[in-house]
Amino acid sequence: RGKALQPLFKMSYSCSKAGDPRPGHPYKGGNFCAFLPDNEEGLKTAKMLKKAFECGLTFQIKSCNGEERVTWGLIPHKTSWDGGKARNGYPDPQYLHEVGTVL
């Protein structure tokens, strides 16, 4: 598989804000890991993903069974090295192009 960039996001418990499903209510966080290839295009994508994270576009808060929790937002992430596109993994030869278009 070679080297891979592995961004790790750790979202803690907090209170939701205006625009979230239930502003002012607490939500559960979690650990989120995504993979990118360790090449020029992967590094370029990592920089764009970092900017999206800083702008608050990477995650969203969803209500599930009466509690709010952090989930992935609309930007596609590869959360596995295998399983193909159907399982958010590789191989997916179009992924870097597709995520670049979204970003």
Side-chain angles (χ1 to χ4, degrees), residues 83-103:
K85 188 172 186 169
R87 295 183 180 255
N88 296 323
Y90 294 96
D92 183 355
Q94 296 301 313
Y95 171 70
L96 292 176
H97 173 74
E98 290 172 1
V99 76
T101 300
V102 170
L103 292 166

Side-chain angles (χ1 to χ4, degrees), residues 11-91:
M11 307 298 288
S12 60
Y13 285 83
S14 189
C15 266
S16 54
K17 59 189 184 312
D20 291 330
R22 293 176 52 201
H25 287 79
Y27 62 83
K28 283 189 174 185
N31 294 319
F32 300 83
C33 189
F35 300 91
L36 293 167
D38 188 9
N39 59 30
E40 187 176 332
E41 197 173 1
L43 291 171
K44 180 181 170 187
T45 301
K47 288 178 185 176
M48 290 189 293
L49 287 170
K50 181 180 181 208
K51 185 168 182 147
F53 177 77
E54 291 168 350
C55 292
L57 302 173
T58 305
F59 298 98
Q60 60 189 349
I61 299 172
K62 285 192 175 176
S63 194
C64 181
N65 296 327
E67 71 179 10
E68 280 67 43
R69 62 181 38 234
V70 175
T71 63
W72 288 110
L74 299 176
I75 299 168
H77 285 77
K78 290 297 178 187
T79 56
S80 174
W81 268 119
D82 51 27
K85 188 172 186 169
R87 295 183 180 255
N88 296 323
Y90 294 96

